[in-house]
């Protein structure tokens, strides 16, 4: 893996952990922004290849399923509360740990696939795409929890200030 890819993944993981530790207002229309960023960067970096065989497809499907399950769990365990006319969210140590665990698990799956000869074509782009899937599922669950509490659908609905 090129050094530039390692720097990019470390920067994006660091940014994600930072963002999760900060409180932010939930706005429905922008809930997939981070997932889109991860997806675009993952595609731009490359390193994703269509699986060549049945076992490689199994590894890919397990990876996607893991991203979905972790995203659903993170959405459930993200702290959500109404305040000052808005609805706010902040990651918890558990939701941040689940994120880091997914990154480690994805690298572990790729390593096992490589050393068992199942696939040697996985890369950093694939990891970022799996993170994008997780973040998208998390964002939807958080949105579904926040909407009944009065979360705004769009930024045009008024600006809230964190205190």
């Amino acid at each position: 893996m090129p050094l530039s890819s390692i720097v990019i993944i470390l920067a994006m993981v660091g940014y994600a952990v930072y963002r999760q530790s900060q409180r932010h207002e939930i706005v429905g229309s922008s809930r997939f922004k981070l997932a889109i960023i991860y997806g675009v960067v993952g595609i731009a970096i490359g390193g994703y290849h269509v699986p060549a065989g049945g076992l490689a497809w199994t590894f890919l499907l397990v990876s996607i399923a893991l991203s979905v399950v972790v995203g659903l769990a993170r959405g459930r365990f993200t702290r959500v509360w109404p305040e000052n006319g808005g609805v706010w969210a902040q990651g918890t140590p558990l939701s941040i740990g689940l994120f880091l665990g997914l990154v480690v698990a994805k690298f572990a799956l790729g390593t096992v696939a490589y050393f068992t000869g199942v696939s040697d074509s996985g890369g950093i782009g694939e990891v970022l795409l799996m993170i994008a899937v997780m973040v998208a599922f998390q964002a939807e669950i958080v949105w579904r929890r926040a909407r009944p509490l009065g979360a705004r659908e769009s930024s045009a609905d008024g600006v809230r200030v964190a205190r």
Side-chain angles (χ1 to χ4, degrees):
M1 181 179 305
L3 180 60
S4 61
S5 293
I6 293 170
V7 169
I8 290 170
I9 190 71
L10 289 175
M12 293 202 69
V13 167
Y15 175 73
V17 169
Y18 168 77
R19 281 282 295 142
Q20 292 172 56
S21 68
Q22 303 300 305
R23 62 186 268 158
H24 61 278
E25 186 180 7
I26 301 167
V27 178
S29 62
S30 62
R31 69 184 177 271
F32 296 119
K33 185 167 91 176
L34 192 58
I36 292 168
I37 290 169
Y38 272 100
V40 168
V41 173
I43 290 168
I45 287 176
Y48 175 79
H49 301 36
V50 176
L55 198 49
W57 275 103
T58 301
F59 269 80
L60 177 62
L61 293 175
V62 166
S63 185
I64 292 170
L66 185 59
S67 292
V68 170
V69 168
V70 170
L72 293 172
R74 290 186 70 225
R76 170 63 186 93
F77 292 112
T78 296
R79 189 171 157 237
V80 176
W81 72 96
E83 183 178 303
N84 298 329
V87 179
W88 301 84
Q90 184 174 16
T92 64
L94 177 59
S95 65
I96 293 169
L98 286 168
F99 170 77
L100 294 173
L102 176 69
V103 172
V104 169
K106 181 57 193 148
F107 275 106
L109 281 171
T111 301
V112 168
Y114 176 78
F115 283 114
T116 59
V118 172
S119 172
D120 64 354
S121 62
I124 202 71
E126 185 177 332
V127 172
L128 293 176
L129 288 171
M130 293 304 130
I131 291 172
V133 170
M134 178 213 49
V135 170
F137 275 86
Q138 175 189 5
E140 183 60 24
I141 295 302
V142 168
W143 169 245
R144 288 180 184 205
R145 292 177 54 213
R147 193 172 35 192
L149 299 175
R152 297 184 300 141
E153 178 63 44
S154 73
S155 298
D157 294 341
V159 178
R160 310 286 196 264
V161 178
R163 294 184 189 209

